[in-house]
Amino acid sequence: MDKTTTGWINGFLGVLIFSGSLPATRAAVLDFDPVFLTVARAAIAGLLALCLLVAFREKRPAADQLVSLAVVSLGVVVGFPLLTALALQHVTSAHSIVFVGMLPLATAAFGVLRGGERPRPAFWMFSVTGSLLVIGFALAQGLSASPVGDALMLAAIVVCGLGYAEGAKLSRTLGGWQVISWALVLSLPVMLSIALFLMPSSFAEVGVPGWVGLGYVSLFSMLIGFIFWYRGLAQGGIAAVGQLQLLQPFFGLALAATLLHEDVSLLMLAVTVAVILCVVGARKFAK
């Protein structure tokens, strides 16, 4: 199996895992404060990552890699989880999931800026088309209904795209699981301290869905998913494999409907299918 195919397989597994992130976050913020949820998931994942690094006796990153790790940490350890948790207080996970359709464009753009990739013009046509479909969906829903939630989701997409591209670039030399592990460990002292400070005096009112949501975003969304995702981006190319994120809304909407019993409109499904179709054209012109 060639490197590109392996990259797409790893990328697909990462997207599949990430698809449960927003529904799980939505379930968790019903019982947990969004700021506490953000620092708690990062602290839990950071402690697990530290155990992995110690167990495998990984060498510490070089000094010139620390800046990139800080960018990854701010983008995917702090920025995206916090912004989405805040957004999900204003919008449903089904609504927010469609915004994920903009992630491939954001990731590809930062892949050009930070990863040195140069997709062909036709690639951008397909990527922009997919993003415009997502923006059109938001406008059709009426941004005035929850401008704060939509603005937070847009900001989350930008910082996440930067964190993805920076992590993929660093994975080429440091390794996929090592990148997210070191990024988590780098933020661990701050995240753990804040989590302990903000920890509720009692968890008696936290239900099973809240605990399951916290567990999922801590273990899968924050650590395991990135092991496959960064490896896939490094092997198959940031812009090319990044287009697999167009599948994430499809999986996410299915989870939102089945697990959270949220309403998934025909418009949501239509936009999601149309956005997914863009991946076919974008992949052909990624290089």
Side-chain angles (χ1 to χ4, degrees), residues 79-186:
F80 184 76
L82 177 59
L83 291 169
T84 53
L86 292 171
L88 286 167
Q89 290 189 312
H90 303 276
V91 297
T92 66
S93 63
H95 181 88
S96 65
I97 282 167
V98 184
F99 279 83
V100 177
M102 299 180 66
L103 257 178
L105 181 60
T107 304
F110 284 114
V112 170
L113 295 173
R114 300 296 302 158
E117 297 188 356
R118 294 294 182 269
R120 285 184 277 175
F123 167 85
W124 296 109
M125 180 187 72
F126 284 105
S127 292
V128 170
T129 299
S131 296
L132 288 176
L133 287 169
V134 174
I135 294 172
F137 165 79
L139 291 173
Q141 295 296 296
L143 289 177
S144 60
S146 62
V148 175
D150 288 333
L152 288 168
M153 281 304 305
L154 288 172
I157 294 305
V158 173
V159 299
C160 189
L162 174 59
Y164 280 172
E166 194 70 26
K169 175 188 173 185
L170 193 56
S171 293
R172 297 167 183 167
T173 55
L174 191 59
W177 73 269
Q178 292 89 340
V179 167
I180 188 59
S181 294
W182 283 117
L184 286 165
V185 169
L186 187 65

Side-chain angles (χ1 to χ4, degrees), residues 39 43 78 185-196:
V39 294
V78 181
V185 169
L186 187 65
S187 64
L188 180 58
V190 175
M191 295 295 101
L192 183 58
S193 298
I194 299 176
L196 292 174

